[in-house]
Amino acid sequence: MELKKLEVPTSSITEVKRSPMEVFEQAKQAGTAVYVFNREKVAGVMLTQNQYETLLQELDALRSETKDFSSTPQEHFVDTGLEELYQRLQNSLMTASSISAKTLDERMVSNGFITRKTGFGGVTDMINELRQSGKIVYQLRQKSNDQNIVAEIMGKQDKSEHLSDHLIVDKIYIK
């Protein structure tokens, strides 16, 4: 079995205990977070304070963009009652970050959509749909004003070798 190399810096719990400042320096030098492993599993991620604050600012900026629905094309909303659903989806699905297809499906189901998984944990169809159309389409369980509501999760497959069942969410539309 071939070992897969992460494209981000890594460290171990032992190294963090021995010298946490070296791990912070590693994050600073790489300009990204450092994955911390404990017994071959990711236990957490370390960032510098500046990296963390930058992420918070970017997250706040993204959230403020989504609150202004006047800049969102109106064809993506069937009625104003869907704005709350849209906001919930925005809060539960971080754009521009990797998420497993299974986790995406679980979050969509928890927001009232019909599952897209097939069989036991089957996310292959979801990933294939994403590759072919650039989106995964979900249908809301309940109709709104006698109309079917769909959410389009626009994105792309995460190309990392170890994350073949992951995708990166770009945008969310509700129709």
Side-chain angles (χ1 to χ4, degrees):
M1 176 165 81
E2 180 182 335
L3 294 176
K4 296 176 182 171
K5 182 181 177 194
L6 292 176
E7 295 182 17
V8 294
T10 62
S11 189
S12 68
I13 288 286
T14 305
E15 183 67 27
V16 172
K17 288 178 187 176
R18 187 176 62 76
S19 180
M21 292 309 292
E22 284 184 20
V23 180
F24 285 125
E25 185 60 32
Q26 188 180 7
K28 183 178 178 182
Q29 293 291 328
T32 185
V34 176
Y35 278 73
V36 179
F37 282 80
N38 184 28
R39 296 190 178 131
E40 300 179 11
K41 292 187 179 183
V42 176
V45 179
M46 289 183 67
L47 312 160
T48 65
Q49 178 184 358
N50 188 34
Q51 290 168 325
Y52 178 71
E53 289 171 355
T54 301
L55 283 174
L56 287 179
Q57 290 171 353
E58 290 174 4
L59 181 60
D60 284 343
L62 285 170
R63 285 184 177 158
S64 67
E65 285 176 18
T66 61
K67 289 179 185 174
D68 180 12
F69 290 101
S70 62
S71 65
T72 304
Q74 288 302 307
E75 72 260 17
H76 298 299
F77 294 103
V78 174
D79 61 36
T80 56
L82 295 178
E83 291 178 11
E84 182 182 326
L85 175 61
Y86 177 76
Q87 191 63 45
R88 282 197 328 259
L89 290 178
Q90 287 289 91
N91 290 335
S92 65
L93 301 174
M94 293 284 291
T95 54
S97 64
S98 184
I99 184 172
S100 73
K102 179 183 177 209
T103 301
L104 167 68
D105 195 72
E106 289 169 354
R107 290 183 184 171
M108 294 300 289
V109 168
S110 73
N111 280 293
F113 290 88
I114 299 170
T115 186
R116 291 297 315 277
K117 292 191 300 186
T118 56
F120 180 71
V123 295
T124 306
D125 290 343
M126 293 170 61
I127 295 297
N128 287 340
E129 179 182 349
L130 183 69
R131 274 195 222 121
Q132 291 172 0
S133 67
K135 62 186 174 185
I136 300 174
V137 180
Y138 279 88
Q139 183 174 330
L140 196 62
R141 272 190 219 106
Q142 296 182 336
K143 291 183 177 183
S144 176
N145 299 330
D146 290 326
Q147 292 183 327
N148 287 325
I149 306 302
V150 295
E152 293 181 351
I153 310 302
M154 310 296 285
K156 56 189 169 286
Q157 184 179 8
D158 190 334
K159 297 292 185 182
S160 303
E161 286 182 42
H162 64 288
L163 301 174
S164 63
D165 67 333
H166 281 57
L167 60 131
I168 298 173
V169 176
D170 291 331
K171 294 181 182 176
I172 302 166
Y173 294 114
I174 295 181
K175 296 181 178 183

